[in-house]
Each structure stands twice: as C-alpha cells, then as structure tokens.
Amino acid sequence: MIKITFPDGTVREYESGITSMEIAKSISEGLARNVLSAKVNGEIWDATRPISNDSKLQLLTWDSPEGKATFWHSSAHLMAEALEILYPETKFGIGPPIEAGFYYDIDTGDHQILLADLPKIEAKMKELAANKSTYNRRVVSKSDAIEFFKEKEDEYKLELIEDLEDGSITFYQQGNFVDLCRGPHLPDTSKIKAIKLTNVAGAYWRGDEKRKMMTRIYGITFPKQKELTEYLELVEEAKKRDHRKLGAELELFMFSDKVGAGLPIWLPKGTALRSRLEDFLKEEQLKRNYQPVITPHIGKKDLYVISGHYEKYGQDSFHPIQTPREGEEFLLKPMNCPHHCEIYGHKPHSYRDLPIRIAEFGTVYRYEQSGELHGLSRVRGFTQDDAHIFCTPDQLKEEFLGVLDLTKLVLRKLGFDNYTAQISLRDQEDKSKYIGSDENWDRAEKAIIDATGEVGLETVIVHGEAAFYGPKLDFMVKDALGRSWQLGTIQVDYNLPERFQLEYIGSDNEAHRPVMIHRAPFGSMERFIGVLIEHTAGKFPLWLTPEQYAILPISDQYLEYANKVQATLSTLGLRGYIDSRTESIGRKIRDTELNKVPYMLIVGEKEESAGVVAVRKQGEGDQGAMKVEDWAIALKSNM
RNA sequence: GCCACCCUAGCUCAGAUGGUAGAGCAACGCAUUCGUAAUGCGUGGGUCGAGGGUUCGAGUCCCUUGGGUGGCUCCA
C-alpha cells in the first residue's frame, strides 16, 4: 500500500501501481471524467501512469493551466497524426502547447500547406479524435529512438534526440502515430471535442534564423463546443477593437507609404486626444517637481558613442546623417537620456540639489525590423513620456515610490484596474554581464522590491531579465479583453552616469556618482494609445475623447438654436460639433453612433420652444430632455 | 531581416483557365425640411501599389521594388 496526500492535506491509502485516474474514480465518477492529467510530487504525469510510491497528488482538470497544457499538447499530437495520414512525407519538429492552444512545426518538403488546407486537417482530426485512441507512453533506449526516426528520415527528431540522455527518452503513441515526447498526455483522444486550426505561419527550426524555415500550424481545442464558440467570439471582439482599424475609422492616425513604414501620422482628432493625455501627465509631473526640458531630435554621433548606444545598435538602426562638412555626423536620437545627461552635467551639483527630475515628451527614432512593425504598438518613430531622475543611492527607494505612485495614478485615470509589476533582476548565476558594483545592484534591487511591497503592488520577479545597466520594473497591464500589455517602465541605470562622468558633491565634500532612473508611465504615447483604443473599444473617457457631444438639429430650421446651445457649452468648457447636414435625424444619429461620440443633443421644435435639448447617450439611447446647463453641469461633475 | 499570403474607385469587396474593369457604401448634383441607427433620383470617379519582362494581347504569368497581414528572430 502507498500513501497518497491530496492538496487539502488528507491522506488516503491505495495499492501500489494505482493510477491517478483510478484514484479519481475512487473519489467520484464525475471527477474522473474531468481528469486530464495529474501532478505527482510536483511533476506532471499522465493520469494513466501507475504510481508506486507514497506521493503528493493533485488531479488536473481543464480549470488548471497545467490541465489545459496537457489538453493542448495532446491536441498537437492529434494534429500530427492527421498530418501524417494526409501528408505522409511530413517531418515533424516540435509541437508544444502555448498560452491559447498549440502549434506544430513541420517540414512538408515540396508540398506547401496553405490556410485553405486547414479545414481538411481539422476534419481528419475530428475523425481521429472520435476513435477514442489512448495515448500510450513507453520508455525507449536512445539507440532504438534513433533507429526509429532514421527509418522515418526525420532529421528534426534525430537532432532533438541527440540532446537527450539515454534512459530518459519516452515515446507516445495514439492510433498509428508515434512521437518522441516527454508527455504527459490525455487518457484518450475522445476528450478533444471542439477543434479549430487557426493559422499557418513560418517559423525557424529551433528559433534560429540561420536554420530552415518550417511551417507552423496553430490551433486550439476545447472539451466542449460551447467553449470554442466563446473563444471565437472573443477573437472576433478583439478584431473589432483592433486599434489599426478603429484608428482609421475614428480618424485618429494614419500611415503613408510615402512618409514611410512605421511612422505614424497623427490626425487632428488623434492629436486632440494625445495632447490631453500629455497635458494630464505634464500637470502631474509639475506637482511632483519634475522640470520639463526640450532637446533636439538629433545629436552628434559622438554623443551616442559616449552613451554606448552607437556601439550596440548603430549598425542596425538609422545610420548617421551626413552634412556638407567632411566627417560630421548626426544621429536621429534613439533615446532621450544622453541629452538629459548633458543637461545634468552642464553645471556642478550639490547633494542638496538632488534629486533632479528632468522630463521631456521626447520623440525618438529606432529602425525596427520591417517585419516587426505593427500599428502603433511597434513603430520607427515614437514619443516617450520620458524623465530621468538623478539621485543619490540613498534616495533610490523614495524616488521609486514616487514613480510607482505616479504610474498607478496614470493607470487608474485611464481605467486600467488590472495590472501587475514585473521586476527584472540580475541573473544570479552569471553576474559578469552586468556593469556596476555588486553593492549598488543589491541596493537597487532591494529598493525596487521594498518599494513595490510598500505600495502593495502585485509583482512577479524574473531573474536574468534585467538590462545590463540596471534592474527594472515593467507594468504589465490587462485590458478589457484580458490581454496583457507591457506599458510603463522604471529602470535603474548605473551605466550612463558613469559614461557621462556625472557627479555631485556630497556632504563629505567629495565627488560622487549619482544614480539615474529612467521612467515612462505611459511608455510611449503611440503604444499606450494603441492599447487604450483596444481597451475602450474607441469609447474614450469623457475627459479624453476628441468630441464630447454632437448637436443634431432635426432640420436646418433649428440651426440657430443649435448654435446657441453650442455657445453655452463652449462657455462651460465642453467641446463638440453641430451636424448641420441636410439629412434625416435617423441618419445623423447613426453616423454619430458609429463615430462613438459619447453624447448626442437633439434639437427640434419641441426643444427650442421649451429651451431644452433631447439627450441621447452613445450605445444607450434616449435619455430624455433637459436644460443644456443642467446636462453640462451633471456631465462635468462626472468627469 | 527571414518565411507565407495580400495590395483592384475614398472605404469594403467581385472580377474561372491571359482577351484592355464591376457592385455596395462614401463623394458630388437635384429634389426632400424630416423626431432617436441609412430619404429618393441622378452624376462623376480606377495608369488594377510602382517599375521591368514574357505574350499578338497582362488586373490575371515571371522578375525587381514599396506597403500591409500572420508568424519567426529582434526590441536601448
């Protein structure tokens, strides 16, 4: 007999060799039906694998991430089985589960798999799933494994096996399909009820751009058809909210072939929105003793040689601008910090001056790879809500707290309530790739951890993700559809003060190196607004929206009254426009609804004679008639 | 940058196998002065992303190039 310990601490005894599935059955049939795999002593196992020692056991179902991973991993195998039947010449790379679904990288030789082929593969998968084939695990020797895949002429699997240790190699088989795999897998294929292959794309073998480009097929599966339907609806909703689509429809920004890829052009409405965001932050920063500065868009190449950016990125970014003067070269600025370091360095500083907070909405240019460009999220010219705080090592934590507070305010103000902070620290194993003393690093890392703890921020710590010049914190923000985005960032930097020889005179009358903090609560205006568009589906908060109201006269007889209404609203500080087209009221309402203007004020004979407006709220309909002033005041108190 | 796919009127999209382009919406004109998501009728609009090639003939086939989409790699 063996002792099995459950997550709630209870212990039950079973025969040695019992499987998780059998244990689940001993608890309830319903549970057994839902079990996908099991965590045995922290390791994820097949539910059908015998347990022969005392163990801790957690049964995994669809509700756990590990359960989903098992489900999707098995789905990848199912797809591979279908592919092998349909395209016998296929060679297989890797086929893991991902955040939402799975993929398999395959090499189909001369035959190309197109999007149009996916339904056929999908159908074959459904057919195979219904066979209720079990996933059978077996341990094979390295030589047997090699022989098997030599036979199949699958050089990818052979390469994978090379890196594996003899004795730890397992095969899984369902139906006639055998795959090299660590597992675990589902008990059988019949659990996979709903199948959708979503995409086909290229992917380098082992992520190495020098190696062969394979075909990657993405898919997602669910235990219930309904869950697939819901998932597809979410994808549809995400498409509707796509900031590239809404940005064009709402006339916020555009791109032009002639201006160049990745260079967003802000249209009047987008500019109105962006300026309001900027003004909001500028005001907050003034309250917090930031000093706004303005620096040029270019700087001599030497500036970036000093900062180190030229060496690291010079070849892969915009190349220097030549001038009529021999040997003179300027760079489009890829970062604002070198300029700000020059500002700090232009006069001596006492420790009494610190911290110094230099802020600039600085536009920077980086030559992102053409394949990387994407709407406003990845561009070649963008504006950071940048600031650099120069402080003493002692002030680090206090300054961090201040920045955290400001960033939280920004996110709250824009309706992002769901976020975590990712703290990126040094790689503990290899400290050689970082610059700055151990003591300083320890101090900075501790300051970040302490500060986030003090403000009660939910954090994830990632070792080895720090920049070479210092640890950092990134805000990971979840939008209305539950998707995560990296927005604001705070980074500690020991490198630039060193390179620019920045100093302050301490109370000991000696020169010391200040610490620098880079921080940007929005991150970049472009990226932030892109995320904001998708988060709000284009229905921006009232204080931000380019147009707060539209006055819709029933006919042009009421234009004069409409003008009066608008004059009143302007005086009260609200912005909007009159739709003076000779169109039906139905038409005007429809167009205004589609433009997502939050309020419509309809004026006709009734309203004019009563001195009121008929208020209609976007997406909600008629709100009844009221005095303009009353409406405006109520609205403003809500903003 | 790499792989695949795409680019036809302002927008969304039709245009088997090569025979010099079409719809809806928008725009413009006229009529309509209208009560909570599209008033009616009419008109104009395209060097088919650009350049080159094959062909008697190219939106359609080939090459180069710009831009986009989905991935991969990258991201100060």
Side-chain angles (χ1 to χ4, degrees), chain A residues 19-22 35-38 45-50 184-187:
Chain A
T19 66
S20 312
M21 183 54 81
E22 287 158 353
V35 166
L36 304 176
S37 56
W45 280 25
D46 307 306
T48 51
R49 185 166 163 187
H185 283 285
L186 299 174

Side-chain angles (χ1 to χ4, degrees), chain A residues 71-225:
Chain A
F71 195 89
W72 285 330
H73 191 179
S74 296
S75 303
H77 278 233
L78 182 67
M79 179 168 82
E81 185 184 356
L83 287 165
E84 195 167 64
I85 293 169
L86 294 170
Y87 312 99
E89 72 282 13
T90 305
K91 295 171 188 175
F92 295 90
I94 55 163
I98 51 177
E99 209 179 293
F102 59 89
Y103 65 79
Y104 217 120
D105 283 347
I106 56 170
D107 178 353
T108 50
D110 296 334
H111 177 266
Q112 215 182 74
I113 297 209
L114 303 172
L115 213 51
D117 298 321
L118 297 185
K120 192 168 65 179
I121 303 168
E122 229 171 83
K124 181 54 89 178
M125 286 174 73
K126 281 178 192 154
E127 184 190 317
L128 292 169
N131 287 346
K132 202 173 181 173
S133 311
T134 51
Y135 287 87
N136 299 314
R137 177 181 192 270
R138 72 167 189 269
V139 181
V140 292
S141 70
K142 190 161 181 170
S143 57
D144 285 354
I146 290 172
E147 198 177 326
F148 180 82
F149 283 106
K150 267 202 178 138
E151 186 91 358
K152 283 185 84 176
E153 294 179 6
D154 191 329
E155 65 262 31
Y156 304 102
K157 293 293 179 189
L158 285 169
E159 188 180 326
L160 292 174
I161 292 169
E162 260 174 47
D163 298 340
L164 297 176
E165 225 166 276
D166 201 359
S168 68
I169 299 174
T170 50
F171 278 7
Y172 274 82
Q173 174 163 9
Q174 94 274 8
N176 290 319
F177 178 74
V178 179
D179 202 354
L180 169 75
C181 185
R182 192 186 305 122
H185 283 285
L186 299 174
D188 69 74
T189 56
S190 71
K191 300 223 177 284
I192 304 169
K193 297 267 198 274
I195 301 170
K196 179 75 186 170
L197 299 185
T198 50
N199 201 6
V200 42
Y204 300 114
W205 171 234
R206 310 200 104 176
D208 184 343
E209 63 181 300
K210 289 183 193 69
R211 307 199 61 178
K212 193 172 163 64
M213 175 70 70
M214 303 185 74
T215 304
R216 174 171 295 181
I217 304 179
Y218 285 89
I220 192 162
T221 51
F222 295 91
K224 292 181 190 148
Q225 187 59 40

Side-chain angles (χ1 to χ4, degrees), chain A residues 239-254:
Chain A
K239 259 189 214 159
K240 273 189 225 154
R241 287 169 177 246
D242 191 317
H243 75 275
R244 293 166 298 182
K245 183 170 173 284
L246 284 174
E249 280 172 14
L250 301 178
E251 296 185 351
L252 299 174
F253 58 87
M254 59 170 273

Side-chain angles (χ1 to χ4, degrees), chain A residues 303-540:
Chain A
L303 182 68
Y304 304 98
V305 171
I306 293 171
S307 75
H309 292 117
Y310 186 76
E311 197 199 339
K312 200 158 170 18
Y313 297 101
Q315 274 317 104
D316 299 323
S317 200
F318 287 108
H319 286 185
I321 304 164
Q322 316 280 326
T323 69
R325 188 165 173 180
E326 186 70 27
E328 189 174 55
E329 292 184 313
F330 289 87
L331 233 54
L332 277 168
K333 73 174 168 186
M335 293 279 279
N336 300 301
C337 25
H339 289 76
H340 291 185
C341 284
E342 284 301 290
I343 292 176
Y344 179 90
H346 91 286
K347 68 174 189 183
H349 293 284
S350 149
Y351 70 98
R352 297 173 201 273
D353 301 337
L354 302 186
I356 289 175
R357 309 181 186 92
I358 294 175
E360 174 175 21
F361 282 81
T363 304
V364 297
Y365 298 89
R366 299 175 185 176
Y367 192 80
E368 302 293 353
Q369 299 183 59
S370 61
E372 266 317 313
L373 300 175
H374 180 92
L376 291 182
S377 345
R378 195 77 185 271
V379 289
R380 285 180 173 160
F382 59 97
T383 302
Q384 298 176 311
D385 54 326
D386 214 355
H388 295 96
I389 301 173
F390 299 89
C391 64
T392 69
D394 290 339
Q395 293 168 330
L396 203 52
K397 184 176 151 196
E398 177 93 24
E399 286 309 301
F400 228 88
L401 280 170
V403 175
L404 286 178
D405 183 63
L406 177 62
T407 310
K408 287 175 69 179
L409 172 74
V410 165
L411 293 178
R412 192 165 63 239
K413 179 90 178 171
L414 276 312
F416 292 105
D417 302 320
N418 195 345
Y419 53 85
T420 54
Q422 178 179 313
I423 301 176
S424 302
L425 305 179
R426 264 179 310 179
D427 184 346
Q428 296 293 339
E429 314 288 285
D430 177 14
K431 294 185 175 177
S432 64
K433 51 188 174 183
Y434 304 101
I435 77 131
S437 70
D438 248 14
E439 189 200 348
N440 276 338
W441 270 85
D442 289 342
R443 177 136 59 164
E445 294 186 346
K446 188 170 183 309
I448 296 178
I449 293 166
D450 288 355
T452 50
E454 265 177 49
V455 298
L457 201 55
E458 196 185 317
T459 55
V460 181
I461 293 181
V462 194
H463 290 275
E465 282 292 303
F468 73 93
Y469 50 77
K472 63 175 180 172
L473 180 154
D474 294 308
F475 277 82
M476 310 301 291
V477 178
K478 276 205 172 164
D479 73 9
L481 297 187
R483 300 168 301 174
S484 256
W485 305 88
Q486 191 218 303
L487 294 174
T489 181
I490 314 174
Q491 309 188 3
V492 179
D493 189 346
Y494 293 110
N495 180 43
L496 283 183
E498 189 71 34
R499 284 177 170 268
F500 281 88
Q501 302 278 301
L502 303 182
E503 292 182 340
Y504 66 89
I505 305 300
S507 55
D508 55 2
N509 200 30
E510 298 287 325
H512 299 272
R513 215 38 105 225
V515 188
M516 187 172 167
I517 301 173
H518 310 249
R519 45 101 285 175
F522 288 131
S524 94
M525 300 313 294
E526 284 74 9
R527 188 179 166 75
F528 188 88
I529 291 172
V531 174
L532 185 67
I533 291 170
E534 306 204 0
H535 179 58
T536 60
K539 297 169 194 171
F540 302 108

Side-chain angles (χ1 to χ4, degrees), chain A residues 551-593:
Chain A
I551 301 173
L552 313 182
I554 296 284
S555 79
D556 37 7
Q557 291 168 29
Y558 313 105
L559 262 179
E560 203 182 318
Y561 181 60
N563 279 318
K564 271 202 327 225
V565 170
Q566 189 179 35
T568 309
L569 291 173
S570 298
T571 318
L572 292 168
L574 292 173
R575 54 185 182 276
Y577 66 96
I578 301 171
D579 185 345
S580 55
R581 293 174 304 165
T582 312
E583 280 294 349
S584 70
I585 194 65
R587 178 52 177 274
K588 290 182 185 177
I589 287 169
R590 179 182 156 81
D591 290 348
T592 318
E593 287 279 349

